[in-house]
């Protein structure tokens, strides 16, 4: 059991490690240390903490918080409560962004100034209405890489107990470019945009990630057998980048096969890099292997900042009923803290979340328990160790 737990903590805290060097992110209000991982592999081992003393009191850092729609308000309040109890040095600037109000200029300015955000779920209409606000935020903030860890959690029973791979998804183009129209009544057309610049950029991100984390293999997902021009260009760019990383094994895998093997034998994969739509689908498939989207953290990274988010839905059927599970947003906030160079607070909160899940005494309904969101959050607070 300890082995499983240690593996999870080691890998999750390594899921965006040292990508600071890659993103070259700078901010007057947030100072990073290049020598620290976004997810330190072992905070108890002093050798992983280089050139910074975390025993001194940290100054407050301002973070834009987007509760979002549905259960977003409840799970955001849970995160704030845990952060307050953990004494994390975060000052929240709460933004009123929702599917009904959209993204105001004031809210966008806050995100641009603070550089770092945490976001709950935002509703998106199906087959009509406004375009996805999630996509809009990623494009407006130029967050080109989505990082989704797929890692087993002790205490959550699933088909596999040792899933351990990471999905890097290109975030800005592909079929999510939003270029579509009705040619004539009854005939709709969507245009898939793939560029060499975006493909090479996300490929470099993936190989840098694999290198810094000691990962052994990068798998590029594609449908170049059918989409010869677009996916063909994506593959050519990834192959060219792969040549600069001879120590990393590289393979090209047809999307169909990736989906099948992810279900049948997820241990075949280490790091995947995929175009936008494929990454969206496969990352949710991976989430299903570890217990669902309610347990899955996510981070969107760009050259000028980052936005961490819960990727599950708004769950309107339980909104306001104190039944929501805040785990995904909490684990995303752990990613955020590590990204900000606050690994001691990240470890404190992550350990409390994992302990609560492992004990299984206060679980929400989606995890087979009967605890309310408030009770689950309180259990996490009680498990915080100082």
């Amino acid at each position: 059991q300890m082995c499983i737990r240690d593996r999870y903590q080691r890998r999750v805290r390594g899921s965006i490690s040292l990508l600071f060097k890659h993103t070259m992110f700078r901010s007057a209000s947030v100072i990073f240390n290049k020598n620290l991982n976004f997810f330190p592999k072992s905070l108890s081992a002093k050798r992983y903490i280089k050139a910074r003393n975390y025993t001194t009191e940290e100054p407050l850092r301002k973070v834009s918080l987007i509760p979002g729609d549905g259960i977003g308000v409840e799970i955001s309040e849970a995160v704030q409560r845990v952060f307050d109890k953990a004494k994390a040095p975060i000052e929240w600037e709460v933004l009123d962004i929702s599917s009904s109000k959209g993204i105001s200029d004031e809210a966008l300015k806050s995100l641009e100034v603070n550089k770092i955000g945490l976001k709950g779920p935002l509703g998106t209409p199906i087959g009509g209405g406004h375009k996805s606000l999630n996509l809009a935020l990623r494009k407006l903030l130029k967050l080109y890489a989505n990082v989704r860890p797929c890692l087993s959690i002790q205490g959550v029973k699933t088909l596999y107990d040792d899933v351990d791979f990471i999905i890097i998804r290109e975030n800005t183009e592909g079929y999510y470019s939003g270029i579509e129209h009705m040619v004539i009544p009854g005939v709709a057309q969507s245009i898939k945009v793939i560029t060499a610049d975006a493909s090479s950029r996300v490929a470099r991100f993936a190989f840098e990630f694999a290198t810094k984390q000691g990962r052994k293999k990068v798998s590029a997902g594609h449908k170049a057998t059918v989409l010869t021009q677009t996916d063909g260009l994506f593959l050519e760019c990834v192959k060219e980048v792969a040549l600069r990383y001879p120590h990393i094994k590289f393979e090209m895998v047809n999307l169909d096969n990736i989906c099948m093997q992810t279900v049948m034998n997820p241990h075949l994969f280490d790091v995947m890099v995929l175009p936008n739509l494929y990454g969206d689908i496969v990352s949710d498939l991976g989430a299903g292997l570890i217990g669902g989207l309610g347990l899955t953290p996510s981070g969107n990274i760009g050259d000028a900042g980052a936005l961490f988010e819960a990727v599950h839905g708004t769950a309107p059927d339980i909104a306001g009923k104190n039944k929501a599970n805040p785990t995904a947003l909490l684990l995303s906030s752990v990613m955020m803290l590590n990204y900000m160079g606050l690994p001691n607070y990240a470890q404190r909160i992550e350990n409390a979340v994992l302990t609560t899940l492992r004990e299984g005494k206060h679980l929400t309904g989606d995890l087979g328990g009967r605890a309310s969101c408030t009770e689950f959050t309180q259990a996490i607070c009680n498990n915080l160790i100082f």
Side-chain angles (χ1 to χ4, degrees):
Q1 288 183 338
M2 287 301 295
C3 179
I4 295 173
R5 180 185 178 188
D6 290 346
R7 185 190 307 122
Y8 173 81
Q9 291 179 330
R10 183 173 65 252
R11 293 301 189 184
V12 167
R13 284 194 289 270
S15 65
I16 310 185
S17 76
L18 287 178
L19 288 178
F20 169 68
K21 276 188 177 181
H22 177 73
T23 59
M24 298 299 289
F25 174 53
R26 297 291 189 274
S27 169
S29 61
V30 182
I31 300 173
F32 295 89
N33 182 338
K34 286 186 180 182
N35 294 322
L36 286 175
N37 294 337
F38 293 164
F39 282 89
K41 296 180 180 179
S42 173
L43 293 170
S44 61
K46 293 182 179 179
R47 65 182 180 276
Y48 289 112
I49 301 181
K50 309 173 186 176
R52 186 168 184 176
N53 182 4
Y54 285 94
T55 61
T56 59
E57 185 176 349
E58 295 282 351
L60 281 177
R61 318 282 185 87
K62 186 172 285 189
V63 171
S64 300
L65 176 63
I66 304 171
D69 296 314
I71 61 172
V73 174
E74 297 163 70
I75 61 176
S76 295
E77 289 176 351
V79 170
Q80 289 175 285
R81 183 178 173 188
V82 172
F83 270 53
D84 183 61
K85 186 70 174 180
K87 304 185 185 304
I90 299 300
E91 178 184 351
W92 302 105
E93 184 172 353
V94 181
L95 306 182
D96 189 11
I97 296 177
S98 66
S99 57
S100 60
K101 298 181 179 180
I103 307 170
S104 67
D105 292 339
E106 184 179 3
L108 183 59
K109 183 177 180 180
S110 167
L111 288 163
E112 290 174 340
V113 170
N114 294 336
K115 305 294 185 184
I116 296 176
L118 182 68
K119 184 182 74 63
L122 287 170
T124 301
I126 300 175
H130 64 80
K131 294 183 178 180
S132 169
L133 295 180
N134 298 304
L135 292 180
L137 285 169
R138 294 167 196 159
K139 288 186 177 181
L140 288 170
L141 300 173
K142 297 179 174 60
L143 307 175
Y144 60 83
N146 176 252
V147 180
R148 287 277 293 272
C150 295
L151 306 157
S152 296
I153 299 176
Q154 186 181 4
V156 179
K157 185 171 179 56
T158 58
L159 183 61
Y160 303 98
D161 60 6
D162 55 353
V163 175
D164 179 4
F165 62 85
I166 311 292
I167 295 171
I168 309 294
R169 164 189 170 191
E170 203 290 318
N171 237 359
T172 64
E173 54 181 26
Y175 276 122
Y176 288 7
S177 300
I179 306 173
E180 59 178 6
H181 62 280
M182 195 69 68
V183 180
I184 59 174
V187 179
Q189 182 182 53
S190 180
I191 299 176
K192 176 177 179 176
V193 176
I194 296 289
T195 66
D197 286 346
S199 299
S200 297
R201 181 175 60 184
V202 78
R204 289 193 298 270
F205 187 99
F207 278 93
E208 280 296 305
F209 170 83
T211 299
K212 302 292 172 54
Q213 283 308 301
R215 297 274 179 167
K216 304 300 183 184
K217 181 170 68 172
V218 171
S219 305
H222 69 93
K223 283 292 292 183
T225 50
V226 177
L227 302 169
T228 57
Q229 297 298 308
T230 51
D231 282 22
L233 175 60
F234 176 80
L235 272 190
E236 285 302 314
C237 291
V238 181
K239 285 165 60 179
E240 182 177 346
V241 171
L243 294 174
R244 306 172 200 167
Y245 298 85
H247 57 287
I248 301 292
K249 181 179 179 181
F250 172 62
E251 64 178 2
M252 299 175 291
V253 188
N254 191 286
L255 179 66
D256 311 57
N257 195 28
I258 278 187
C259 292
M260 181 181 71
Q261 296 299 339
T262 298
V263 173
M264 294 180 63
N265 190 6
H267 315 105
L268 291 175
F269 300 110
D270 199 0
V271 175
M272 298 186 206
V273 59
L274 301 113
N276 208 337
L277 175 62
Y278 306 161
D280 191 7
I281 294 170
V282 177
S283 58
D284 279 13
L285 181 62
L289 297 178
I290 63 170
L293 294 175
L295 299 170
T296 304
S298 176
N300 301 285
I301 312 298
D303 289 335
L307 180 64
F308 301 87
E309 62 182 346
V311 291
H312 55 67
T314 60
D317 55 320
I318 62 170
K321 297 181 180 180
N322 200 21
K323 295 182 178 181
N325 175 7
T327 300
L329 195 60
L330 278 165
L331 292 179
S332 296
S333 73
V334 168
M335 293 174 69
M336 180 192 77
L337 286 171
N338 279 298
Y339 180 88
M340 296 174 70
L342 297 169
N344 49 341
Y345 297 99
Q347 183 192 33
R348 183 179 299 167
I349 293 172
E350 182 189 30
N351 286 346
V353 173
L354 296 181
T355 298
T356 303
L357 292 171
R358 186 178 67 253
E359 290 175 344
K361 298 176 182 178
H362 302 90
L363 301 180
T364 51
D366 59 314
L367 298 176
R370 296 184 178 181
S372 65
C373 180
T374 301
E375 291 168 338
F376 179 71
T377 303
Q378 184 58 51
I380 293 172
C381 290
N382 293 341
N383 281 322
L384 288 168
I385 299 175
F386 294 86

